[in-house]
Amino acid sequence: MTEHKATNVTFHHGSVTRDDRAALLRHKGATLWFTGLSGSGKSTVAVAVEAELTRRRRLCYRLDGDNIRMGLNANLGFSEEDRVENIRRIGEVARLFADAGLIVLSSFISPFRADRDRVRQLHDEHGLPFIEVYIDVSLKTAEARDPKGLYKKARAGAIKDFTGISSPYEPPEQPELTLTTDTMSLEDETAAVIAALEAQGIIPA
Amino acid sequence: MTEHKATNVTFHHGSVTRDDRAALLRHKGATLWFTGLSGSGKSTVAVAVEAELTRRRRLCYRLDGDNIRMGLNANLGFSEEDRVENIRRIGEVARLFADAGLIVLSSFISPFRADRDRVRQLHDEHGLPFIEVYIDVSLKTAEARDPKGLYKKARAGAIKDFTGISSPYEPPEQPELTLTTDTMSLEDETAAVIAALEAQGIIPA
């Protein structure tokens, strides 16, 4: 049935629309914006959600430090101006991917509320779902994990403006979803994100 | 058969790979880089190819002035430095989309060989197909069309550094495909691009 429906894609004035792509993919595009301290578990959750979505045959793509900082944003440093521009560009790319029909999983600390809110507004303006997922762990927990040894370096003064130590983290005021990795299992966190996508009608329940 | 194969997607170390996405989409990611004078017909061809690919149930996405200049590259002007950065960012975004499994259709004048070659190199480094499509029309034809009235403005001196008038266009030396819109029909051009995708094994023949 769905297969048949999708072959009846109609082209409007010869130009393919967002709806055409959604019909082909059988789900809507959206941005999942994971935010939280370094070591909070953003990437771990994003990887788990990506695996589950792919298992369900939904097309998604992760934006993270590995594919952004070395490429698109390789010409940005860590000044305040550059950190704002870093998140702005990631937000614009996420918007393009969501418009293309993918479920984007963006995992960057993105510590400043104003920067995240601009990305939310951009999605709103283009009628695209923006789901802010706050990974809420205590600094104590994140610092105890310290998977990359960054807190240790920051405490030693080797990293300037490190979020949580020498630069603030501003928690979201009204995130669509809060995951408390202090107490939730990875399975529970993944299930909560999937449930949020279902609740918003982005993927079928 | 294909349907069955795609449900057997294997996850490597929990992280979804390019191959997993290709199995899901049943085609490979690639960048089609259309280059040519203003008024050469880049967008017209890109729109026609997009429609044909979507009819064949292949996921593609167009990058053009409409979704890039107003968004990601809104903070760039037309200085030499900014024009280089404009193409660099578009190249990086195209690379991400191709990695995500989409067939990207990029249509920008992109007049300088060095800028295009950097985008090609970036794709090569990441093992992603880059297909340079040169839209070869005479300046006379492009200027006679002048769909946006830009040549008229450039001749009047109202636009600085306008490609073909007051700034050079450097044709590709070895493009994967050359379309001579002076003599080819839009149907022929579209068929030639589709044939190139088939020949490279990006979509099934």
Side-chain angles (χ1 to χ4, degrees):
Chain A
M1 270 296 286
T2 331
E3 194 71 20
H4 179 250
K5 201 168 157 190
T7 54
N8 288 332
V9 168
T10 315
F11 300 109
H12 314 275
H13 312 292
S15 197
V16 176
T17 67
R18 189 184 293 170
D19 285 347
D20 296 327
R21 289 187 291 267
L24 200 157
L25 289 168
R26 286 171 278 173
H27 63 83
K28 290 184 191 169
T31 293
L32 286 166
W33 190 276
F34 296 92
T35 174
L37 293 172
S38 174
S40 60
K42 296 180 297 297
S43 292
T44 306
V45 178
V47 166
V49 171
E50 181 189 39
E52 176 59 19
L53 285 172
T54 308
R55 199 188 63 76
R56 293 177 181 220
R57 305 179 55 67
R58 309 299 156 192
L59 187 66
C60 49
Y61 194 66
R62 270 191 300 125
L63 299 177
D64 57 26
D66 288 342
N67 59 17
I68 293 291
R69 270 284 177 193
M70 304 293 284
L72 178 65
N73 292 356
N75 57 0
L76 296 175
F78 292 90
S79 68
E80 198 186 319
E81 194 187 346
D82 278 8
R83 291 172 74 146
V84 169
E85 174 67 3
N86 181 49
I87 297 301
R88 188 194 72 81
R89 288 190 201 166
I90 295 163
E92 291 284 357
V93 171
R95 191 264 294 185
L96 293 172
F97 270 96
D99 182 46
L102 287 85
I103 299 167
V104 187
L105 303 108
S106 162
S107 54
F108 296 88
I109 299 174
S110 49
F112 302 113
R113 206 172 284 139
D115 297 342
R116 296 191 307 264
D117 286 350
R118 266 190 293 271
V119 179
R120 176 187 291 278
Q121 196 189 329
L122 177 71
H123 282 70
D124 286 351
E125 284 166 6
H126 288 86
L128 289 165
F130 179 81
I131 301 173
E132 193 174 11
V133 184
Y134 173 37
I135 313 282
D136 180 16
V137 294
S138 62
L139 176 62
K140 198 180 154 188
T141 302
E143 191 168 356
R145 288 183 191 159
D146 205 7
K148 299 174 195 165
L150 296 174
Y151 284 97
K152 203 173 170 185
K153 280 188 192 166
R155 289 286 183 195
I159 306 175
K160 222 185 108 189
D161 299 328
F162 191 76
T163 302
I165 305 292
S166 44
S167 184
Y169 177 81
E170 299 172 355
E173 284 172 339
Q174 296 195 298
E176 275 69 15
L177 195 59
T178 299
L179 305 177
T180 48
T181 51
D182 280 340
T183 56
M184 288 171 84
S185 70
L186 184 58
E187 289 68 28
D188 289 348
E189 294 177 305
T190 305
V193 176
I194 298 290
L197 291 171
E198 290 174 347
Q200 291 216 17
I202 293 157
I203 60 172
Chain B
M1 271 298 286
T2 332
E3 191 73 22
H4 179 250
K5 204 169 154 192
T7 54
N8 288 333
V9 168
T10 315
F11 300 111
H12 313 274
H13 311 292
S15 198
V16 175
T17 67
R18 189 185 292 170
D19 285 346
D20 295 327
R21 290 186 291 268
L24 200 156
L25 288 169
R26 285 171 278 172
H27 62 83
K28 290 183 192 170
T31 293
L32 287 166
W33 191 275
F34 296 93
T35 174
L37 293 172
S38 175
S40 59
K42 295 180 296 300
S43 292
T44 306
V45 179
V47 166
V49 172
E50 180 189 38
E52 176 58 20
L53 285 172
T54 308
R55 199 189 63 75
R56 294 176 180 221
R57 305 180 55 68
R58 308 300 156 192
L59 187 65
C60 50
Y61 194 66
R62 270 192 299 125
L63 299 177
D64 58 24
D66 289 342
N67 58 17
I68 293 290
R69 269 282 178 196
M70 306 292 283
L72 179 65
N73 292 356
N75 57 0
L76 297 175
F78 292 89
S79 68
E80 197 187 320
E81 194 187 345
D82 279 8
R83 291 172 74 147
V84 170
E85 173 67 2
N86 181 49
I87 298 302
R88 189 194 71 82
R89 288 190 199 167
I90 295 163
E92 291 284 355
V93 171
R95 190 263 295 186
L96 292 172
F97 269 97
D99 182 47
L102 287 84
I103 298 166
V104 186
L105 303 108
S106 162
S107 54
F108 296 87
I109 299 173
S110 49
F112 301 115
R113 206 171 285 139
D115 297 343
R116 295 191 306 263
D117 285 349
R118 266 189 295 270
V119 179
R120 176 188 291 277
Q121 196 189 330
L122 177 71
H123 281 70
D124 286 351
E125 285 166 3
H126 287 86
L128 291 165
F130 179 81
I131 301 173
E132 193 173 12
V133 185
Y134 173 37
I135 313 283
D136 180 17
V137 294
S138 63
L139 176 62
K140 198 179 156 189
T141 302
E143 191 167 359
R145 288 181 191 161
D146 204 8
K148 300 174 194 165
L150 295 174
Y151 285 97
K152 204 173 171 185
K153 281 187 190 167
R155 290 284 183 198
I159 305 176
K160 223 185 105 189
D161 299 328
F162 191 77
T163 300
I165 305 293
S166 44
S167 185
Y169 177 81
E170 299 172 355
E173 286 173 338
Q174 295 194 297
E176 275 70 16
L177 196 59
T178 299
L179 305 177
T180 50
T181 51
D182 280 341
T183 55
M184 288 172 84
S185 70
L186 184 57
E187 289 68 27
D188 289 348
E189 294 177 305
T190 305
V193 176
I194 298 290
L197 291 171
E198 289 173 346
Q200 291 217 14
I202 293 157
I203 60 172

